[in-house]
């Protein structure tokens, strides 16, 4: 099973899970403000808690994603994809039941613990599944299409959130995530890593030497910090991609933690306006990833697309910080769609530097 024809069930799972996660995003700011600072447009506690949660999600990703990725090499992608889809259901179900202050705190704690348990590993496992099935030369386009499906779920979720009440959005999110989990378990077939060598021959002695220098461990198949350092030392391109991703993730995480609270305090945005902004950026991102990226990758290469995406992201963040009118974020939402080129480009670059059993680690 090679090529994009083997990815249809993964695309459906990605859409359903993404829809369930995105539909709650326009409402979560209002829900948080109502639970922590009722009747106010500014709330420092909400920003602090959101920032702390982003930090914990980052720490959880660093700790659990390599472990989950390594376990997926041994026990299969499908078995490990079940974990993030399952843990993401619980916090949604809490707010679907009630959005009172005590339930919000329960949601906050469970959401943070779910992130530490690997909630964010689904996208990495999905990318590894693609890498198992799609040949190297077609992976950049396949990654772009997968990201486009994620963007399509983004558009669908924000469009639904625009017309649903806050209570109903969490109920719909829970149902969609549950359907996605059940669909994945029934229809998604297990993948097998493609066996063509991806590491350059010049790098293999480095890998072997590095592995010989590492101390023997009882659990030899579980990744350690030494394994990660070894991979970074032996592949300069991979280490450079990792550095770029680190700083890009720091910027995205900081922006996500405060942007909606900033817009609510400055321009009194509400759920519907947040949904409008997200819909504009989501439609643009979907069109870019599904149609533009497969055309541009063969023509200009991943490196130039990565540079373009990073430059556009920098300009967008700068303009957000000096927004002088309520229409400026709407204009930026359309302009910043090229920023979505960053992750697929980095993923494609990194995927070509590692072996078939290292696609998630």
């Amino acid at each position: 099973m090679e090529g994009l024809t083997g990815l249809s069930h993964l695309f459906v799972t990605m859409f359903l899970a993404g829809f369930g996660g995105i539909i709650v995003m326009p409402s979560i700011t209002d829900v948080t403000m109502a639970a922590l600072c009722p009747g106010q447009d500014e709330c420092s506690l909400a920003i602090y808690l959101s920032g702390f949660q982003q930090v914990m999600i980052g720490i959880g990703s660093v700790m659990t994603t390599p472990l989950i990725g390594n376990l997926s090499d041994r026990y299969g992608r499908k078995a490990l994809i079940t974990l993030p889809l399952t843990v993401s259901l619980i916090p949604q179900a809490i707010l679907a039941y009630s959005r009172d202050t005590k339930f919000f705190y329960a949601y906050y704690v469970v959401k943070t613990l779910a992130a530490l348990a690997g909630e964010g590993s689904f996208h990495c496992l999905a990318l590894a599944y693609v890498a198992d099935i799609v040949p190297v030369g077609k992976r950049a386009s396949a990654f772009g299409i997968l990201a486009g499906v994620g963007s399509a779920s983004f558009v669908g979720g924000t469009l639904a959130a625009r017309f649903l009440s806050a209570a109903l959005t969490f109920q719909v999110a829970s149902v969609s995530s549950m359907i996605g989990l059940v669909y994945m378990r029934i229809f998604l077939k297990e993948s097998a890593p493609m066996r063509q060598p991806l590491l350059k021959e010049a790098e293999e002695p480095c890998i072997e030497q590095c592995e010989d220098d590492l101390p023997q461990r009882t659990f030899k198949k579980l990744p350690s910090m030494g394994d990660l350092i070894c991979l970074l030392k032996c592949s300069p391109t991979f280490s450079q991609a990792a550095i770029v991703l680190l700083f890009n993730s720091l910027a995205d995480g900081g922006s996500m933690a405060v942007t909606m609270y900033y817009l609510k305090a400055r321009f009194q945005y509400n759920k519907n306006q947040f949904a409008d902004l997200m819909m504009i950026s989501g439609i643009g991102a979907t069109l870019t990833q599904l149609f533009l990226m497969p055309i541009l990758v063969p023509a200009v290469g991943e490196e130039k697309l990565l540079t373009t995406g990073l430059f556009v992201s920098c300009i967008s963040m700068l303009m957000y910080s000096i927004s002088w009118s309520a229409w400026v974020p709407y204009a930026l939402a359309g302009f910043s769609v090229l920023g979505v080129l960053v992750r697929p480009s980095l993923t494609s670059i990194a995927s070509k530097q590692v072996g078939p059993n290292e696609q998630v680690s």
Side-chain angles (χ1 to χ4, degrees):
M1 185 172 61
E2 292 185 358
L4 300 178
T5 56
L7 299 176
S8 57
H9 295 310
L10 178 66
F11 290 156
V12 174
T13 302
M14 170 71 77
F15 182 87
L16 291 171
F19 183 92
I22 293 300
I23 193 174
V24 302
M25 289 184 63
S27 301
I28 196 64
T29 300
D30 289 341
V31 169
T32 303
M33 297 287 290
L36 301 179
C37 305
Q40 300 181 31
D41 289 332
E42 299 183 24
C43 184
S44 299
L45 179 60
I47 295 175
Y48 293 145
L49 289 179
S50 297
F52 176 78
Q53 190 175 65
Q54 288 293 325
V55 171
M56 296 305 296
I57 290 174
I59 293 174
S61 297
V62 171
M63 294 174 59
T64 60
T65 299
L67 174 60
I68 291 174
N70 187 271
L71 292 175
S72 75
D73 291 335
R74 299 171 59 187
Y75 301 110
R77 313 295 187 203
K78 180 177 178 178
L80 271 296
I81 286 175
T82 305
L83 174 62
L85 294 186
T86 301
V87 298
S88 66
L89 275 170
I90 304 173
Q92 293 173 349
I94 293 174
L95 290 186
Y97 180 78
S98 176
R99 286 149 306 285
D100 293 339
T101 301
K102 60 182 180 181
F103 285 96
F104 173 81
Y105 279 114
Y107 156 83
Y108 180 85
V109 173
V110 173
K111 177 74 173 176
T112 305
L113 293 177
L116 291 173
E119 181 186 25
S121 62
F122 170 62
H123 289 85
C124 296
L125 292 169
L127 292 169
Y129 190 96
V130 172
D132 292 343
I133 295 176
V134 180
V136 177
K138 298 181 179 179
R139 281 185 189 167
S141 297
F143 290 146
I145 293 173
L146 182 68
V149 172
S151 297
S153 69
F154 187 96
V155 174
T158 52
L159 181 62
R162 181 66 175 78
F163 299 103
L164 296 176
S165 65
L168 196 54
T169 57
F170 288 99
Q171 296 169 5
V172 172
S174 300
V175 173
S176 177
S177 298
M178 177 65 74
I179 294 174
L181 174 60
V182 174
Y183 181 93
M184 184 274 299
R185 293 299 306 172
I186 295 175
F187 295 106
L188 188 68
K189 295 181 179 180
E190 188 57 84
S191 65
M194 300 184 72
R195 293 302 174 186
Q196 73 268 28
L198 297 181
L199 286 172
K200 297 180 178 65
E201 294 182 0
E203 293 175 343
E204 291 176 356
C206 174
I207 296 287
E208 295 173 357
Q209 179 63 39
C210 190
E211 289 178 346
D212 291 340
D213 292 340
L214 292 174
Q216 296 295 316
R217 290 173 285 130
T218 303
F219 301 99
K220 295 183 180 180
K221 293 187 178 181
L222 296 182
S224 69
M225 185 60 67
D227 296 325
L228 298 179
I229 294 174
C230 176
L231 179 60
L232 293 174
K233 287 170 59 179
C234 293
S235 177
T237 302
F238 187 87
S239 62
Q240 291 164 6
I243 293 171
V244 172
L245 181 61
L246 171 64
F247 285 101
N248 182 254
S249 299
L250 286 173
D252 286 347
S255 177
M256 288 174 59
V258 301
T259 296
M260 288 196 287
Y261 296 106
Y262 164 73
L263 294 176
K264 187 174 184 65
R266 185 170 176 82
F267 302 119
Q268 288 72 54
Y269 276 20
N270 56 31
K271 174 182 74 71
N272 292 339
Q273 290 166 312
F274 290 139
D276 292 338
L277 281 176
M278 295 169 65
M279 200 182 314
I280 292 171
S281 60
I283 291 173
T286 301
L287 296 176
T288 299
Q289 292 167 326
L290 286 179
F291 303 108
L292 188 59
M293 188 169 181
I295 297 174
L296 291 178
V297 168
V300 301
E302 295 98 326
E303 291 80 5
K304 291 184 179 178
L305 291 182
L306 174 60
T307 302
T308 301
L310 291 172
F311 178 75
V312 171
S313 297
C314 291
I315 297 299
S316 297
M317 289 184 186
L318 175 63
M319 296 302 294
Y320 265 117
S321 68
I322 59 174
S323 297
W324 58 90
S325 179
W327 64 265
V328 175
Y330 286 91
L332 291 174
F335 170 74
S336 61
V337 296
L338 292 177
V340 301
L341 296 172
V342 173
R343 292 301 178 94
S345 299
L346 276 173
T347 302
S348 179
I349 293 170
S351 177
K352 294 177 180 179
Q353 304 303 310
V354 298
N357 290 327
E358 297 168 333
Q359 293 295 321
V360 189
S361 300

